[in-house]
Amino acid sequence: MIAKLTAGIALTAATAALTLAATGTAAAETYGSPGNAVVASATCTHSDDTIEITMDSPKIFAQAGYQPGEHQQVRYRTVVYDAAQNTIAAVTEYSSGKATATEAADVDDTKLKVVRSDPNGYRVIQQIEWLSPDQENPIAAVDLDATGYQIKDGRTLLGTFAVCK
């Protein structure tokens, strides 16, 4: 798959996940002490008057202080912003899972459609939250941009761009 995360991450020790730096650019809000998360690029496929956006799920690890084998509930959702109009174009439901210090949470990939309309350009943000032990209330969060946008017209790759268009 084109949108597969290509960065190889070798977790050789329990502390490796704790020292892994978050990848992506903080977009809107960061609060609390987020754990580590790695996001991928998005693929934007033109289909008539829509753009289908697909993106692998982020790799989300537990916050610092969790020992190997201890689980923390995490969740994320994908928000698509219309960069030209500065409005929200689409939002997915939350996908949640349990993360540890050394193993990423098993969460669903993103697939959604937006209207294809020039001069609109879309930014894809993954909003990641780490939940309290009651598994309901977020205690930390970070918004991470997609690392790039691979634009396709049908099966033909047109290139990688700064926004999805």
Side-chain angles (χ1 to χ4, degrees):
M1 289 184 103
I2 293 173
K4 288 287 184 192
L5 179 63
T6 57
I9 300 173
L11 297 176
T12 58
T15 58
L18 297 175
T19 59
L20 181 68
T23 301
T25 304
E29 184 177 348
T30 299
Y31 68 87
S33 297
N36 296 305
V38 180
V39 298
S41 62
T43 300
C44 306
T45 305
H46 297 170
S47 177
D48 298 322
D49 61 345
T50 62
I51 298 173
E52 183 176 284
I53 299 172
T54 56
M55 188 168 177
D56 287 346
S57 62
K59 306 301 179 210
I60 308 169
F61 296 91
Q63 290 178 284
Y66 277 81
Q67 300 299 314
E70 282 187 300
H71 292 90
Q72 180 178 23
Q73 189 74 21
V74 296
R75 67 183 180 190
Y76 92 98
R77 68 180 176 180
T78 300
V79 179
V80 178
Y81 290 98
D82 182 328
Q85 298 179 19
N86 202 25
T87 58
I88 295 175
V91 179
T92 64
E93 295 289 326
Y94 279 106
S95 177
S96 61
K98 293 186 179 197
T100 71
T102 58
E103 293 181 28
D106 183 21
V107 291
D108 297 330
D109 294 340
T110 296
K111 191 173 194 174
L112 48 86
K113 291 183 180 184
V114 293
V115 175
R116 182 178 175 190
S117 173
D118 292 329
N120 295 14
Y122 299 100
R123 286 183 43 230
V124 181
I125 308 291
Q126 291 186 324
Q127 294 180 331
I128 303 167
E129 296 180 340
W130 288 262
L131 304 179
S132 63
D134 67 9
Q135 300 182 5
E136 292 181 17
N137 300 308
I139 55 175
V142 66
D143 293 353
L144 299 176
D145 281 300
T147 58
Y149 300 93
Q150 298 177 351
I151 311 299
K152 293 173 68 178
D153 190 11
R155 293 184 172 184
T156 305
L157 180 62
L158 303 176
T160 302
F161 298 88
V163 293
C164 181
K165 53 183 173 179

PDB file of all heavy atoms in Angstrom, residues 11 13-14 17-18 36 59-62 67-72 74 97-106:
ATOM      1  N   LEU A  11      12.105  -1.433  17.934  1.00  0.00           N
ATOM      2  CA  LEU A  11      11.955  -1.315  19.386  1.00  0.00           C
ATOM      3  C   LEU A  11      12.799  -2.406  20.025  1.00  0.00           C
ATOM      4  O   LEU A  11      12.383  -3.549  20.141  1.00  0.00           O
ATOM      5  CB  LEU A  11      10.482  -1.463  19.784  1.00  0.00           C
ATOM      6  CG  LEU A  11       9.563  -0.394  19.231  1.00  0.00           C
ATOM      7  CD1 LEU A  11       8.124  -0.689  19.597  1.00  0.00           C
ATOM      8  CD2 LEU A  11       9.974   0.957  19.746  1.00  0.00           C
ATOM      9  N   ALA A  13      14.273  -2.200  23.109  1.00  0.00           N
ATOM     10  CA  ALA A  13      14.200  -2.250  24.563  1.00  0.00           C
ATOM     11  C   ALA A  13      12.917  -1.576  25.010  1.00  0.00           C
ATOM     12  O   ALA A  13      12.272  -0.872  24.246  1.00  0.00           O
ATOM     13  CB  ALA A  13      15.403  -1.535  25.183  1.00  0.00           C
ATOM     14  N   ALA A  14      12.548  -1.788  26.230  1.00  0.00           N
ATOM     15  CA  ALA A  14      11.315  -1.200  26.751  1.00  0.00           C
ATOM     16  C   ALA A  14      11.356   0.320  26.709  1.00  0.00           C
ATOM     17  O   ALA A  14      10.334   0.963  26.547  1.00  0.00           O
ATOM     18  CB  ALA A  14      11.078  -1.667  28.185  1.00  0.00           C
ATOM     19  N   ALA A  17      10.392   2.891  23.066  1.00  0.00           N
ATOM     20  CA  ALA A  17       9.117   3.552  22.753  1.00  0.00           C
ATOM     21  C   ALA A  17       8.968   4.847  23.542  1.00  0.00           C
ATOM     22  O   ALA A  17       8.330   5.781  23.077  1.00  0.00           O
ATOM     23  CB  ALA A  17       7.948   2.623  23.054  1.00  0.00           C
ATOM     24  N   LEU A  18       9.576   4.902  24.707  1.00  0.00           N
ATOM     25  CA  LEU A  18       9.458   6.109  25.525  1.00  0.00           C
ATOM     26  C   LEU A  18      10.320   7.250  24.997  1.00  0.00           C
ATOM     27  O   LEU A  18      10.042   8.410  25.255  1.00  0.00           O
ATOM     28  CB  LEU A  18       9.840   5.797  26.973  1.00  0.00           C
ATOM     29  CG  LEU A  18       8.941   4.784  27.667  1.00  0.00           C
ATOM     30  CD1 LEU A  18       9.485   4.469  29.046  1.00  0.00           C
ATOM     31  CD2 LEU A  18       7.525   5.299  27.763  1.00  0.00           C
ATOM     32  N   ASN A  36       3.852   8.930  22.912  1.00  0.00           N
ATOM     33  CA  ASN A  36       4.481   9.019  21.597  1.00  0.00           C
ATOM     34  C   ASN A  36       3.533   8.526  20.521  1.00  0.00           C
ATOM     35  O   ASN A  36       2.809   7.551  20.723  1.00  0.00           O
ATOM     36  CB  ASN A  36       5.763   8.198  21.586  1.00  0.00           C
ATOM     37  CG  ASN A  36       6.773   8.754  22.557  1.00  0.00           C
ATOM     38  OD1 ASN A  36       7.106   9.923  22.489  1.00  0.00           O
ATOM     39  ND2 ASN A  36       7.222   7.936  23.490  1.00  0.00           N
ATOM     40  N   LYS A  59       0.588   5.199  14.879  1.00  0.00           N
ATOM     41  CA  LYS A  59       1.179   4.278  15.860  1.00  0.00           C
ATOM     42  C   LYS A  59       1.203   5.041  17.173  1.00  0.00           C
ATOM     43  O   LYS A  59       1.932   6.013  17.324  1.00  0.00           O
ATOM     44  CB  LYS A  59       2.592   3.859  15.451  1.00  0.00           C
ATOM     45  CG  LYS A  59       2.689   3.276  14.065  1.00  0.00           C
ATOM     46  CD  LYS A  59       1.819   2.050  13.901  1.00  0.00           C
ATOM     47  CE  LYS A  59       1.939   1.505  12.485  1.00  0.00           C
ATOM     48  NZ  LYS A  59       0.743   0.844  12.039  1.00  0.00           N
ATOM     49  N   ILE A  60       0.370   4.611  18.133  1.00  0.00           N
ATOM     50  CA  ILE A  60       0.197   5.331  19.392  1.00  0.00           C
ATOM     51  C   ILE A  60       0.702   4.451  20.535  1.00  0.00           C
ATOM     52  O   ILE A  60       0.268   3.310  20.673  1.00  0.00           O
ATOM     53  CB  ILE A  60      -1.280   5.680  19.646  1.00  0.00           C
ATOM     54  CG1 ILE A  60      -1.895   6.388  18.440  1.00  0.00           C
ATOM     55  CG2 ILE A  60      -1.422   6.528  20.908  1.00  0.00           C
ATOM     56  CD1 ILE A  60      -3.413   6.514  18.520  1.00  0.00           C
ATOM     57  N   PHE A  61       1.592   5.019  21.359  1.00  0.00           N
ATOM     58  CA  PHE A  61       2.137   4.312  22.513  1.00  0.00           C
ATOM     59  C   PHE A  61       1.635   4.975  23.795  1.00  0.00           C
ATOM     60  O   PHE A  61       1.221   6.134  23.792  1.00  0.00           O
ATOM     61  CB  PHE A  61       3.670   4.342  22.472  1.00  0.00           C
ATOM     62  CG  PHE A  61       4.232   3.621  21.284  1.00  0.00           C
ATOM     63  CD1 PHE A  61       4.471   4.292  20.097  1.00  0.00           C
ATOM     64  CD2 PHE A  61       4.512   2.272  21.338  1.00  0.00           C
ATOM     65  CE1 PHE A  61       4.978   3.641  18.991  1.00  0.00           C
ATOM     66  CE2 PHE A  61       5.015   1.598  20.237  1.00  0.00           C
ATOM     67  CZ  PHE A  61       5.249   2.280  19.059  1.00  0.00           C
ATOM     68  N   ALA A  62       1.708   4.240  24.920  1.00  0.00           N
ATOM     69  CA  ALA A  62       1.274   4.762  26.217  1.00  0.00           C
ATOM     70  C   ALA A  62       2.156   5.930  26.648  1.00  0.00           C
ATOM     71  O   ALA A  62       3.275   6.109  26.160  1.00  0.00           O
ATOM     72  CB  ALA A  62       1.318   3.656  27.269  1.00  0.00           C
ATOM     73  N   GLN A  67       4.633   1.067  32.542  1.00  0.00           N
ATOM     74  CA  GLN A  67       5.635   0.010  32.455  1.00  0.00           C
ATOM     75  C   GLN A  67       5.276  -0.952  31.323  1.00  0.00           C
ATOM     76  O   GLN A  67       4.096  -1.050  30.945  1.00  0.00           O
ATOM     77  CB  GLN A  67       5.701  -0.763  33.782  1.00  0.00           C
ATOM     78  CG  GLN A  67       6.072   0.106  34.969  1.00  0.00           C
ATOM     79  CD  GLN A  67       7.442   0.733  34.797  1.00  0.00           C
ATOM     80  OE1 GLN A  67       8.412   0.071  34.417  1.00  0.00           O
ATOM     81  NE2 GLN A  67       7.532   2.032  35.047  1.00  0.00           N
ATOM     82  N   PRO A  68       6.265  -1.660  30.766  1.00  0.00           N
ATOM     83  CA  PRO A  68       5.936  -2.661  29.739  1.00  0.00           C
ATOM     84  C   PRO A  68       4.877  -3.632  30.268  1.00  0.00           C
ATOM     85  O   PRO A  68       4.979  -4.117  31.394  1.00  0.00           O
ATOM     86  CB  PRO A  68       7.272  -3.367  29.501  1.00  0.00           C
ATOM     87  CG  PRO A  68       8.291  -2.331  29.852  1.00  0.00           C
ATOM     88  CD  PRO A  68       7.695  -1.572  31.009  1.00  0.00           C
ATOM     89  N   GLY A  69       3.861  -3.859  29.483  1.00  0.00           N
ATOM     90  CA  GLY A  69       2.763  -4.740  29.880  1.00  0.00           C
ATOM     91  C   GLY A  69       1.576  -3.999  30.474  1.00  0.00           C
ATOM     92  O   GLY A  69       0.470  -4.515  30.486  1.00  0.00           O
ATOM     93  N   GLU A  70       1.771  -2.786  30.981  1.00  0.00           N
ATOM     94  CA  GLU A  70       0.651  -1.978  31.478  1.00  0.00           C
ATOM     95  C   GLU A  70      -0.045  -1.342  30.292  1.00  0.00           C
ATOM     96  O   GLU A  70       0.606  -0.790  29.409  1.00  0.00           O
ATOM     97  CB  GLU A  70       1.137  -0.858  32.400  1.00  0.00           C
ATOM     98  CG  GLU A  70       1.483  -1.270  33.803  1.00  0.00           C
ATOM     99  CD  GLU A  70       1.787  -0.046  34.658  1.00  0.00           C
ATOM    100  OE1 GLU A  70       2.720   0.693  34.319  1.00  0.00           O
ATOM    101  OE2 GLU A  70       1.068   0.156  35.659  1.00  0.00           O
ATOM    102  N   HIS A  71      -1.366  -1.398  30.276  1.00  0.00           N
ATOM    103  CA  HIS A  71      -2.134  -0.859  29.162  1.00  0.00           C
ATOM    104  C   HIS A  71      -2.730   0.504  29.492  1.00  0.00           C
ATOM    105  O   HIS A  71      -3.163   0.742  30.609  1.00  0.00           O
ATOM    106  CB  HIS A  71      -3.269  -1.812  28.784  1.00  0.00           C
ATOM    107  CG  HIS A  71      -2.785  -3.085  28.192  1.00  0.00           C
ATOM    108  ND1 HIS A  71      -2.497  -4.186  28.947  1.00  0.00           N
ATOM    109  CD2 HIS A  71      -2.521  -3.418  26.911  1.00  0.00           C
ATOM    110  CE1 HIS A  71      -2.078  -5.163  28.165  1.00  0.00           C
ATOM    111  NE2 HIS A  71      -2.082  -4.726  26.922  1.00  0.00           N
ATOM    112  N   GLN A  72      -2.756   1.369  28.472  1.00  0.00           N
ATOM    113  CA  GLN A  72      -3.440   2.644  28.575  1.00  0.00           C
ATOM    114  C   GLN A  72      -4.395   2.752  27.395  1.00  0.00           C
ATOM    115  O   GLN A  72      -4.021   2.484  26.255  1.00  0.00           O
ATOM    116  CB  GLN A  72      -2.462   3.821  28.543  1.00  0.00           C
ATOM    117  CG  GLN A  72      -3.181   5.159  28.660  1.00  0.00           C
ATOM    118  CD  GLN A  72      -2.239   6.358  28.680  1.00  0.00           C
ATOM    119  OE1 GLN A  72      -1.123   6.280  28.199  1.00  0.00           O
ATOM    120  NE2 GLN A  72      -2.718   7.461  29.246  1.00  0.00           N
ATOM    121  N   VAL A  74      -6.258   4.544  24.536  1.00  0.00           N
ATOM    122  CA  VAL A  74      -6.010   5.704  23.677  1.00  0.00           C
ATOM    123  C   VAL A  74      -7.080   5.723  22.597  1.00  0.00           C
ATOM    124  O   VAL A  74      -7.732   4.712  22.332  1.00  0.00           O
ATOM    125  CB  VAL A  74      -4.601   5.653  23.024  1.00  0.00           C
ATOM    126  CG1 VAL A  74      -3.517   5.725  24.083  1.00  0.00           C
ATOM    127  CG2 VAL A  74      -4.436   4.415  22.161  1.00  0.00           C
ATOM    128  N   GLY A  97      -8.125   1.956  21.256  1.00  0.00           N
ATOM    129  CA  GLY A  97      -7.391   0.727  21.511  1.00  0.00           C
ATOM    130  C   GLY A  97      -6.547   0.888  22.759  1.00  0.00           C
ATOM    131  O   GLY A  97      -6.530   1.948  23.378  1.00  0.00           O
ATOM    132  N   LYS A  98      -5.836  -0.184  23.108  1.00  0.00           N
ATOM    133  CA  LYS A  98      -4.975  -0.160  24.291  1.00  0.00           C
ATOM    134  C   LYS A  98      -3.521  -0.186  23.842  1.00  0.00           C
ATOM    135  O   LYS A  98      -3.124  -1.000  23.025  1.00  0.00           O
ATOM    136  CB  LYS A  98      -5.278  -1.344  25.194  1.00  0.00           C
ATOM    137  CG  LYS A  98      -6.648  -1.253  25.816  1.00  0.00           C
ATOM    138  CD  LYS A  98      -6.909  -2.338  26.806  1.00  0.00           C
ATOM    139  CE  LYS A  98      -8.307  -2.126  27.374  1.00  0.00           C
ATOM    140  NZ  LYS A  98      -8.539  -2.839  28.585  1.00  0.00           N
ATOM    141  N   ALA A  99      -2.749   0.741  24.413  1.00  0.00           N
ATOM    142  CA  ALA A  99      -1.331   0.856  24.082  1.00  0.00           C
ATOM    143  C   ALA A  99      -0.497   0.517  25.312  1.00  0.00           C
ATOM    144  O   ALA A  99      -0.953   0.649  26.448  1.00  0.00           O
ATOM    145  CB  ALA A  99      -1.031   2.281  23.634  1.00  0.00           C
ATOM    146  N   THR A 100       0.731   0.089  25.075  1.00  0.00           N
ATOM    147  CA  THR A 100       1.695  -0.100  26.152  1.00  0.00           C
ATOM    148  C   THR A 100       2.916   0.756  25.835  1.00  0.00           C
ATOM    149  O   THR A 100       2.959   1.437  24.818  1.00  0.00           O
ATOM    150  CB  THR A 100       2.132  -1.585  26.288  1.00  0.00           C
ATOM    151  OG1 THR A 100       2.950  -1.937  25.170  1.00  0.00           O
ATOM    152  CG2 THR A 100       0.943  -2.523  26.401  1.00  0.00           C
ATOM    153  N   ALA A 101       3.918   0.684  26.689  1.00  0.00           N
ATOM    154  CA  ALA A 101       5.147   1.445  26.471  1.00  0.00           C
ATOM    155  C   ALA A 101       5.906   0.944  25.247  1.00  0.00           C
ATOM    156  O   ALA A 101       6.656   1.690  24.632  1.00  0.00           O
ATOM    157  CB  ALA A 101       6.035   1.363  27.707  1.00  0.00           C
ATOM    158  N   THR A 102       5.702  -0.319  24.885  1.00  0.00           N
ATOM    159  CA  THR A 102       6.474  -0.901  23.780  1.00  0.00           C
ATOM    160  C   THR A 102       5.628  -1.355  22.598  1.00  0.00           C
ATOM    161  O   THR A 102       6.174  -1.692  21.555  1.00  0.00           O
ATOM    162  CB  THR A 102       7.292  -2.111  24.277  1.00  0.00           C
ATOM    163  OG1 THR A 102       6.390  -3.068  24.849  1.00  0.00           O
ATOM    164  CG2 THR A 102       8.331  -1.680  25.291  1.00  0.00           C
ATOM    165  N   GLU A 103       4.307  -1.404  22.752  1.00  0.00           N
ATOM    166  CA  GLU A 103       3.432  -1.849  21.673  1.00  0.00           C
ATOM    167  C   GLU A 103       2.381  -0.781  21.376  1.00  0.00           C
ATOM    168  O   GLU A 103       1.708  -0.290  22.281  1.00  0.00           O
ATOM    169  CB  GLU A 103       2.728  -3.152  22.040  1.00  0.00           C
ATOM    170  CG  GLU A 103       3.674  -4.335  22.154  1.00  0.00           C
ATOM    171  CD  GLU A 103       2.935  -5.617  22.506  1.00  0.00           C
ATOM    172  OE1 GLU A 103       1.751  -5.749  22.163  1.00  0.00           O
ATOM    173  OE2 GLU A 103       3.554  -6.470  23.160  1.00  0.00           O
ATOM    174  N   ALA A 104       2.256  -0.458  20.088  1.00  0.00           N
ATOM    175  CA  ALA A 104       1.269   0.531  19.666  1.00  0.00           C
ATOM    176  C   ALA A 104      -0.141  -0.039  19.781  1.00  0.00           C
ATOM    177  O   ALA A 104      -0.353  -1.251  19.672  1.00  0.00           O
ATOM    178  CB  ALA A 104       1.541   0.953  18.226  1.00  0.00           C
ATOM    179  N   ALA A 105      -1.098   0.844  19.995  1.00  0.00           N
ATOM    180  CA  ALA A 105      -2.505   0.446  20.060  1.00  0.00           C
ATOM    181  C   ALA A 105      -2.965  -0.057  18.696  1.00  0.00           C
ATOM    182  O   ALA A 105      -2.511   0.417  17.657  1.00  0.00           O
ATOM    183  CB  ALA A 105      -3.358   1.632  20.486  1.00  0.00           C
ATOM    184  N   ASP A 106      -3.866  -1.025  18.707  1.00  0.00           N
ATOM    185  CA  ASP A 106      -4.446  -1.547  17.477  1.00  0.00           C
ATOM    186  C   ASP A 106      -5.721  -0.752  17.193  1.00  0.00           C
ATOM    187  O   ASP A 106      -6.760  -0.996  17.796  1.00  0.00           O
ATOM    188  CB  ASP A 106      -4.757  -3.036  17.642  1.00  0.00           C
ATOM    189  CG  ASP A 106      -5.308  -3.659  16.375  1.00  0.00           C
ATOM    190  OD1 ASP A 106      -5.097  -3.091  15.282  1.00  0.00           O
ATOM    191  OD2 ASP A 106      -5.962  -4.723  16.474  1.00  0.00           O
TER     192      ASP A 106
END
